[in-house]
Amino acid sequence: EPEVTQTPSHQVTQMGQEVILRCVPISNHLYFYWYRQILGQKVEFLVSFYNNEISEKSEIFDDQFSVERPDGSNFTLKIRSTKLEDSAMYFCASIPTGLDLNTEAFFGQGTRLTVV
Amino acid sequence: RKEVEQDPGPFNVPEGATVAFNCTYSNSASQSFFWYRQDCRKEPKLLMSVYSSGNEDGRFTAQLNRASQYISLLIRDSKLSDSATYLCVVNTGFQKLVFGTGTRLLVSP
């Protein structure tokens, strides 16, 4: 069964460092997302990406964050200068198309980011 | 008002019990609705979509009331393996999925 894959599964970084979280969405999917979940809290929307550009972003997704689809398969989330409060689980998700609003979103297994 | 609101629980029930979870959403233009299940430190996984006519999948029944902006999930004959957090998810339009805080279910022997 096709799946969304994320790497690394766990990343520890020092405050102020840049990190890049990687995702490979399911190959025929067109909409991509990043969500984050701080330990014990809800899953929060960060950004959606369609047709090689940001479709929507939340207030959390400030200038420290950026997304890219560099090669047609990978979908990356970059945090330029990490803060302690960026420590969270980051989930990538994808859906096949933007036309069917009842379609399921498929989530990767997540990257646990720990900022120290 | 929160976009998607759920009682965080936990709901502690014995095996075999019936348990119901509720969820309300604030955006009346929301297009579609889902229940996802999340196990501890794992990714959310789709449990079922929620349709206006109500739908059932085995022991699970979902209902949607658009007038009241209310979604429910009923689990019958609870199993130990049903212990998880149940996430109410709303597609508010333009394929933006908004999650509730989740309701934690603990099923005990």
Side-chain angles (χ1 to χ4, degrees):
Chain A
E1 184 179 321
E3 59 181 16
V4 177
T5 57
Q6 289 186 243
T7 54
S9 57
H10 190 190
Q11 175 138 10
V12 181
T13 189
Q14 288 198 324
M15 193 168 54
Q17 295 296 305
E18 174 183 287
V19 294
I20 297 176
L21 309 184
R22 302 181 193 280
C23 169
V24 180
I26 296 172
S27 63
N28 62 343
H29 285 195
L30 300 179
Y31 252 90
F32 314 117
Y33 302 86
W34 283 101
Y35 284 82
R36 81 170 186 190
Q37 187 174 33
I38 295 169
L39 188 62
Q41 297 188 23
K42 63 183 280 188
V43 177
E44 299 175 291
F45 171 79
L46 291 178
V47 65
S48 58
F49 192 86
Y50 174 72
N51 200 25
N52 285 320
E53 60 183 24
I54 290 174
S55 178
E56 189 168 351
K57 59 184 180 180
S58 71
E59 291 176 353
I60 302 168
F61 195 89
D62 61 21
D63 292 344
Q64 294 295 323
F65 292 87
S66 62
V67 289
E68 206 175 31
R69 189 158 160 79
D71 56 13
S73 61
N74 290 287
F75 178 52
T76 62
L77 175 69
K78 182 192 290 186
I79 309 175
R80 286 190 186 81
S81 178
T82 49
K83 303 187 282 285
L84 294 176
E85 53 265 37
D86 293 327
S87 295
M89 181 75 95
Y90 288 80
F91 291 110
C92 175
S94 68
I95 61 173
T97 172
L99 299 177
D100 180 1
L101 294 174
N102 284 308
T103 192
E104 171 186 358
F106 293 81
F107 284 80
Q109 291 182 313
T111 293
R112 179 164 299 283
L113 177 65
T114 302
V115 182
V116 297
Chain B
R1 184 179 173 186
K2 292 180 184 176
E3 284 190 278
V4 180
E5 203 150 357
Q6 294 182 253
D7 180 344
F11 284 55
N12 290 285
V13 302
E15 267 186 296
T18 295
V19 61
F21 305 138
N22 302 321
C23 168
T24 58
Y25 60 95
S26 61
N27 186 342
S28 60
S30 296
Q31 302 287 319
S32 52
F33 311 90
F34 309 89
W35 284 102
Y36 276 72
R37 171 190 167 132
Q38 186 176 31
D39 293 293
C40 187
R41 295 178 179 250
K42 300 284 189 181
E43 75 274 25
K45 290 188 177 177
L46 181 70
L47 180 66
M48 57 198 304
S49 301
V50 187
Y51 302 116
S52 296
S53 54
N55 47 302
E56 187 173 308
D57 182 3
R59 299 182 292 109
F60 299 86
T61 301
Q63 297 276 353
L64 167 64
N65 183 324
R66 285 189 184 269
S68 302
Q69 295 178 204
Y70 169 95
I71 305 154
S72 66
L73 176 68
L74 183 77
I75 305 175
R76 290 181 298 277
D77 189 23
S78 300
K79 312 288 185 195
L80 294 176
S81 57
D82 293 334
S83 297
T85 297
Y86 290 83
L87 307 172
C88 178
V89 183
V90 175
N91 186 328
T92 59
F94 303 103
Q95 297 293 14
K96 180 184 173 184
L97 300 178
V98 179
F99 284 73
T101 54
T103 299
R104 193 164 167 222
L105 173 65
L106 299 171
V107 182
S108 54

Short mmCIF file of all heavy atoms in Angstrom, two decimals, chain B residues 8-39:
data_model
loop_
_atom_site.label_atom_id
_atom_site.label_comp_id
_atom_site.label_asym_id
_atom_site.label_seq_id
_atom_site.Cartn_x
_atom_site.Cartn_y
_atom_site.Cartn_z
N PRO B 8 -11.92 16.58 25.82
CA PRO B 8 -10.65 15.83 25.78
C PRO B 8 -10.68 14.50 26.52
O PRO B 8 -9.82 13.65 26.31
CB PRO B 8 -9.65 16.79 26.42
CG PRO B 8 -10.48 17.69 27.27
CD PRO B 8 -11.80 17.83 26.57
N GLY B 9 -11.69 14.32 27.41
CA GLY B 9 -11.76 13.08 28.18
C GLY B 9 -10.73 13.09 29.31
O GLY B 9 -10.38 14.17 29.80
N PRO B 10 -10.21 11.94 29.75
CA PRO B 10 -10.42 10.64 29.12
C PRO B 10 -11.77 10.01 29.48
O PRO B 10 -12.33 10.31 30.51
CB PRO B 10 -9.28 9.80 29.69
CG PRO B 10 -8.99 10.40 31.02
CD PRO B 10 -9.27 11.86 30.88
N PHE B 11 -12.24 9.19 28.57
CA PHE B 11 -13.40 8.36 28.79
C PHE B 11 -12.87 6.98 29.19
O PHE B 11 -12.17 6.34 28.42
CB PHE B 11 -14.25 8.23 27.52
CG PHE B 11 -15.08 9.44 27.20
CD1 PHE B 11 -14.51 10.70 27.08
CD2 PHE B 11 -16.44 9.33 27.02
CE1 PHE B 11 -15.27 11.82 26.78
CE2 PHE B 11 -17.22 10.45 26.71
CZ PHE B 11 -16.64 11.68 26.60
N ASN B 12 -13.20 6.57 30.40
CA ASN B 12 -12.79 5.25 30.88
C ASN B 12 -14.00 4.32 30.83
O ASN B 12 -14.98 4.57 31.54
CB ASN B 12 -12.28 5.34 32.31
CG ASN B 12 -10.95 6.06 32.40
OD1 ASN B 12 -9.92 5.51 32.04
ND2 ASN B 12 -10.98 7.28 32.85
N VAL B 13 -13.93 3.28 30.01
CA VAL B 13 -15.08 2.38 29.87
C VAL B 13 -14.59 0.94 29.95
O VAL B 13 -13.45 0.64 29.62
CB VAL B 13 -15.83 2.60 28.54
CG1 VAL B 13 -16.31 4.04 28.42
CG2 VAL B 13 -14.98 2.22 27.35
N PRO B 14 -15.48 0.03 30.41
CA PRO B 14 -15.11 -1.39 30.41
C PRO B 14 -15.30 -1.99 29.03
O PRO B 14 -16.06 -1.47 28.20
CB PRO B 14 -16.10 -1.99 31.42
CG PRO B 14 -17.29 -1.10 31.33
CD PRO B 14 -16.79 0.28 31.01
N GLU B 15 -14.60 -3.08 28.79
CA GLU B 15 -14.81 -3.82 27.54
C GLU B 15 -16.29 -4.12 27.35
O GLU B 15 -16.99 -4.47 28.29
CB GLU B 15 -14.08 -5.16 27.61
CG GLU B 15 -12.69 -5.17 27.05
CD GLU B 15 -12.09 -6.57 27.03
OE1 GLU B 15 -11.90 -7.13 28.12
OE2 GLU B 15 -11.84 -7.06 25.92
N GLY B 16 -16.75 -4.00 26.12
CA GLY B 16 -18.14 -4.31 25.81
C GLY B 16 -19.08 -3.12 25.92
O GLY B 16 -20.23 -3.19 25.46
N ALA B 17 -18.61 -2.04 26.50
CA ALA B 17 -19.47 -0.87 26.68
C ALA B 17 -19.67 -0.14 25.36
O ALA B 17 -18.91 -0.30 24.40
CB ALA B 17 -18.85 0.07 27.71
N THR B 18 -20.71 0.68 25.35
CA THR B 18 -20.94 1.60 24.24
C THR B 18 -20.53 3.00 24.69
O THR B 18 -20.87 3.40 25.80
CB THR B 18 -22.42 1.59 23.83
OG1 THR B 18 -22.76 0.29 23.32
CG2 THR B 18 -22.69 2.63 22.76
N VAL B 19 -19.82 3.70 23.84
CA VAL B 19 -19.34 5.04 24.21
C VAL B 19 -19.58 5.98 23.03
O VAL B 19 -19.51 5.56 21.87
CB VAL B 19 -17.85 5.00 24.61
CG1 VAL B 19 -16.97 4.52 23.48
CG2 VAL B 19 -17.39 6.33 25.15
N ALA B 20 -19.90 7.21 23.35
CA ALA B 20 -20.17 8.20 22.30
C ALA B 20 -19.32 9.44 22.50
O ALA B 20 -19.16 9.91 23.64
CB ALA B 20 -21.65 8.58 22.31
N PHE B 21 -18.80 9.96 21.41
CA PHE B 21 -18.02 11.18 21.43
C PHE B 21 -18.73 12.24 20.59
O PHE B 21 -19.31 11.92 19.56
CB PHE B 21 -16.62 10.97 20.82
CG PHE B 21 -15.84 9.86 21.44
CD1 PHE B 21 -15.11 9.00 20.65
CD2 PHE B 21 -15.81 9.69 22.81
CE1 PHE B 21 -14.37 7.98 21.21
CE2 PHE B 21 -15.08 8.67 23.38
CZ PHE B 21 -14.35 7.81 22.57
N ASN B 22 -18.61 13.47 21.02
CA ASN B 22 -19.23 14.57 20.30
C ASN B 22 -18.19 15.58 19.86
O ASN B 22 -17.11 15.68 20.46
CB ASN B 22 -20.26 15.27 21.18
CG ASN B 22 -21.32 14.31 21.65
OD1 ASN B 22 -21.76 13.45 20.90
ND2 ASN B 22 -21.72 14.43 22.90
N CYS B 23 -18.55 16.34 18.89
CA CYS B 23 -17.65 17.36 18.34
C CYS B 23 -18.51 18.47 17.76
O CYS B 23 -19.55 18.20 17.14
CB CYS B 23 -16.78 16.71 17.25
SG CYS B 23 -15.84 17.83 16.23
N THR B 24 -18.12 19.70 17.98
CA THR B 24 -18.81 20.82 17.34
C THR B 24 -17.81 21.62 16.52
O THR B 24 -16.62 21.65 16.83
CB THR B 24 -19.47 21.75 18.37
OG1 THR B 24 -18.46 22.22 19.28
CG2 THR B 24 -20.55 21.03 19.15
N TYR B 25 -18.29 22.26 15.48
CA TYR B 25 -17.43 23.07 14.63
C TYR B 25 -18.07 24.43 14.42
O TYR B 25 -19.30 24.57 14.46
CB TYR B 25 -17.15 22.37 13.29
CG TYR B 25 -18.35 22.06 12.45
CD1 TYR B 25 -18.77 22.93 11.44
CD2 TYR B 25 -19.09 20.90 12.66
CE1 TYR B 25 -19.88 22.64 10.67
CE2 TYR B 25 -20.20 20.60 11.89
CZ TYR B 25 -20.60 21.47 10.90
OH TYR B 25 -21.70 21.19 10.13
N SER B 26 -17.25 25.43 14.19
CA SER B 26 -17.76 26.81 14.18
C SER B 26 -18.03 27.33 12.77
O SER B 26 -18.86 28.23 12.61
CB SER B 26 -16.77 27.74 14.89
OG SER B 26 -15.53 27.72 14.22
N ASN B 27 -17.35 26.79 11.78
CA ASN B 27 -17.47 27.32 10.43
C ASN B 27 -18.62 26.63 9.68
O ASN B 27 -18.49 25.47 9.29
CB ASN B 27 -16.15 27.13 9.68
CG ASN B 27 -16.15 27.79 8.32
OD1 ASN B 27 -17.20 28.10 7.75
ND2 ASN B 27 -14.97 28.00 7.76
N SER B 28 -19.70 27.34 9.50
CA SER B 28 -20.88 26.75 8.87
C SER B 28 -20.65 26.39 7.40
O SER B 28 -21.41 25.63 6.81
CB SER B 28 -22.07 27.70 8.98
OG SER B 28 -21.77 28.92 8.33
N ALA B 29 -19.59 26.93 6.82
CA ALA B 29 -19.28 26.62 5.42
C ALA B 29 -18.42 25.36 5.28
O ALA B 29 -18.02 25.01 4.16
CB ALA B 29 -18.57 27.80 4.77
N SER B 30 -18.13 24.70 6.38
CA SER B 30 -17.29 23.50 6.33
C SER B 30 -17.91 22.46 5.41
O SER B 30 -19.12 22.29 5.36
CB SER B 30 -17.12 22.92 7.74
OG SER B 30 -16.42 23.83 8.56
N GLN B 31 -17.03 21.79 4.70
CA GLN B 31 -17.49 20.95 3.60
C GLN B 31 -17.55 19.47 3.94
O GLN B 31 -18.45 18.77 3.49
CB GLN B 31 -16.53 21.13 2.42
CG GLN B 31 -16.40 22.57 1.94
CD GLN B 31 -17.64 23.01 1.20
OE1 GLN B 31 -18.19 22.25 0.42
NE2 GLN B 31 -18.08 24.22 1.46
N SER B 32 -16.59 18.98 4.66
CA SER B 32 -16.57 17.54 4.93
C SER B 32 -15.95 17.28 6.30
O SER B 32 -15.28 18.14 6.86
CB SER B 32 -15.81 16.80 3.82
OG SER B 32 -14.56 17.38 3.59
N PHE B 33 -16.22 16.07 6.77
CA PHE B 33 -15.98 15.78 8.18
C PHE B 33 -15.46 14.35 8.33
O PHE B 33 -15.86 13.46 7.58
CB PHE B 33 -17.30 15.94 8.96
CG PHE B 33 -18.00 17.24 8.65
CD1 PHE B 33 -18.92 17.31 7.61
CD2 PHE B 33 -17.72 18.38 9.37
CE1 PHE B 33 -19.54 18.51 7.29
CE2 PHE B 33 -18.34 19.58 9.07
CZ PHE B 33 -19.25 19.65 8.03
N PHE B 34 -14.58 14.19 9.29
CA PHE B 34 -13.92 12.90 9.45
C PHE B 34 -13.70 12.61 10.93
O PHE B 34 -13.56 13.52 11.74
CB PHE B 34 -12.54 12.91 8.77
CG PHE B 34 -12.56 13.39 7.34
CD1 PHE B 34 -12.42 14.73 7.04
CD2 PHE B 34 -12.70 12.49 6.30
CE1 PHE B 34 -12.43 15.19 5.73
CE2 PHE B 34 -12.71 12.93 4.97
CZ PHE B 34 -12.58 14.28 4.70
N TRP B 35 -13.59 11.33 11.24
CA TRP B 35 -13.03 10.90 12.50
C TRP B 35 -11.72 10.18 12.19
O TRP B 35 -11.68 9.26 11.38
CB TRP B 35 -13.98 9.95 13.24
CG TRP B 35 -15.12 10.66 13.89
CD1 TRP B 35 -16.41 10.75 13.44
CD2 TRP B 35 -15.09 11.39 15.13
NE1 TRP B 35 -17.17 11.48 14.31
CE2 TRP B 35 -16.39 11.89 15.36
CE3 TRP B 35 -14.09 11.66 16.07
CZ2 TRP B 35 -16.72 12.65 16.49
CZ3 TRP B 35 -14.42 12.42 17.19
CH2 TRP B 35 -15.72 12.90 17.38
N TYR B 36 -10.66 10.63 12.84
CA TYR B 36 -9.36 9.98 12.76
C TYR B 36 -9.05 9.38 14.12
O TYR B 36 -9.52 9.86 15.16
CB TYR B 36 -8.25 10.98 12.40
CG TYR B 36 -8.09 11.25 10.92
CD1 TYR B 36 -9.04 12.01 10.24
CD2 TYR B 36 -6.99 10.78 10.22
CE1 TYR B 36 -8.89 12.28 8.88
CE2 TYR B 36 -6.84 11.04 8.86
CZ TYR B 36 -7.79 11.79 8.20
OH TYR B 36 -7.64 12.05 6.86
N ARG B 37 -8.23 8.36 14.10
CA ARG B 37 -7.76 7.75 15.33
C ARG B 37 -6.26 8.00 15.43
O ARG B 37 -5.53 7.90 14.44
CB ARG B 37 -8.04 6.25 15.27
CG ARG B 37 -7.42 5.46 16.39
CD ARG B 37 -7.51 3.98 16.18
NE ARG B 37 -6.64 3.31 17.12
CZ ARG B 37 -7.02 2.27 17.87
NH1 ARG B 37 -8.24 1.76 17.74
NH2 ARG B 37 -6.18 1.73 18.70
N GLN B 38 -5.80 8.32 16.65
CA GLN B 38 -4.37 8.51 16.86
C GLN B 38 -3.93 7.71 18.08
O GLN B 38 -4.43 7.92 19.19
CB GLN B 38 -4.02 9.99 17.05
CG GLN B 38 -2.51 10.24 17.12
CD GLN B 38 -2.14 11.70 17.21
OE1 GLN B 38 -2.87 12.52 17.76
NE2 GLN B 38 -0.99 12.07 16.64
N ASP B 39 -3.01 6.80 17.86
CA ASP B 39 -2.38 6.08 18.97
C ASP B 39 -1.21 6.91 19.47
O ASP B 39 -0.68 7.76 18.75
CB ASP B 39 -1.94 4.70 18.51
CG ASP B 39 -3.13 3.82 18.17
OD1 ASP B 39 -3.88 3.48 19.11
OD2 ASP B 39 -3.35 3.51 16.99
#
